[in-house]
Amino acid sequence: MTIAGNWKMFFGPEPMELADLDAIVAPPYTRLVDCVEAGLTTYAQNVHWEPQGAYTGEISAPLLLALGVRGSIVGHSERRQSFGETDETVGLRTRAALDAGLHVIACIGETREEREGGEMENVLRRQLSVLEPHPNLVIAYEPVWAIGTGLTATPEICRDTHGFIKTIIDVPVLYGGSVNPGNAEALLSQPCVDGALVGGASLDVESFTAICQTAARIHS
Ligand code: 13P
């Protein structure tokens, strides 16, 4: 069971307060060192496919590894929607990061229109087509309609969609989208749900701790 906190572009909590948790944190770049030094399993929120070069604003796997960063989120829907991320670049980033020795949480998920239009399976299949199983690869299923909206996929949607994803790629699948201490138990106890990628609730030490404790209880 993996619990990861995506701090997005927020300053986030004091890393030392999270030191006892069995969790991954993905802070903004300026806080990576603080998190690494606090002993946290620290991931970046993005990673470029080239090891170095003239790519202003990007960061590479070797640069992250040199800092003690252990992995990266790739292909978050906010990057797909607002920063031109495509399935092709998700594939490039993921392969390069894994080859360099980073772990990767690759994000997939359909929009509300795609789900309501019956396109969910096609969209997920297309997003997964650029990814191959790897021991250090984890998928995060984050339905776009559930991110930051307070709308959560029901436990049944989670179970069915994760089951579908696992028929295509046999790696752990995390759920992301408005996970909080109140719904974590129902979501995390579904078959095929191997953990959670938590946004808003990971910025609050108490909430994130409660979610991690729920995960540990279900796992034991
Ligand atoms: P929220 O938990 O705030 O909905 O964000 C989910 C997410 O995007 C995690 O990557």
Side-chain angles (χ1 to χ4, degrees):
M1 183 78 58
T2 299
I3 303 297
N6 175 9
W7 296 5
K8 306 191 180 185
M9 201 174 71
F10 294 97
F11 187 76
E14 194 45 57
M16 281 314 289
E17 292 190 79
L18 306 173
D20 292 335
L21 299 182
D22 181 14
I24 293 165
V25 293
Y29 290 121
T30 55
R31 305 215 69 205
L32 287 170
V33 170
D34 285 350
C35 290
V36 168
E37 286 180 351
L40 306 183
T41 305
T42 306
Y43 281 27
Q45 296 176 14
N46 196 12
V47 57
H48 197 263
W49 51 89
E50 292 292 345
Q52 60 180 13
Y55 299 101
T56 303
E58 292 281 337
I59 195 83
S60 72
L63 293 173
L64 291 169
L65 285 160
L67 219 54
V69 171
R70 303 265 292 277
S72 182
I73 296 172
V74 168
H76 193 280
S77 63
E78 286 153 13
R79 299 216 58 82
R80 293 178 189 261
Q81 288 193 310
S82 307
F83 300 100
E85 193 78 75
T86 64
D87 294 327
E88 188 193 355
T89 55
V90 169
L92 289 171
R93 291 180 196 280
T94 301
R95 256 191 310 282
L98 291 169
D99 286 351
L102 287 172
H103 291 245
V104 170
I105 299 175
C107 302
I108 61 168
E110 80 287 358
T111 63
R112 181 197 290 270
E113 295 72 36
E114 288 162 345
R115 176 167 279 270
E116 288 174 353
E119 282 300 303
M120 187 266 288
E121 291 195 353
N122 284 339
V123 169
L124 298 184
R125 212 177 270 118
R126 191 199 72 225
Q127 291 174 338
L128 288 169
S129 68
V130 296
L131 305 172
E132 281 165 18
H134 186 285
N136 293 339
L137 175 65
V138 167
I139 301 292
Y141 170 58
E142 300 206 312
V144 177
W145 45 271
I147 295 178
T149 57
L151 284 177
T152 325
T154 62
E156 294 70 31
I157 288 181
C158 246
R159 179 197 61 208
D160 294 350
T161 313
H162 284 220
F164 170 72
I165 292 166
K166 281 174 186 273
T167 64
I168 299 172
I169 186 165
D170 185 18
V171 297
V173 182
L174 315 182
Y175 169 74
S178 299
V179 175
N180 62 46
N183 59 27
E185 171 133 30
L187 293 164
L188 293 172
S189 48
Q190 294 301 313
C192 301
V193 176
D194 303 303
L197 180 54
V198 184
S202 74
L203 297 171
D204 180 77
V205 173
E206 236 172 78
S207 298
F208 195 54
T209 302
I211 294 167
C212 292
Q213 285 169 346
T214 299
R217 200 170 56 242
I218 291 169
H219 193 58
S220 63

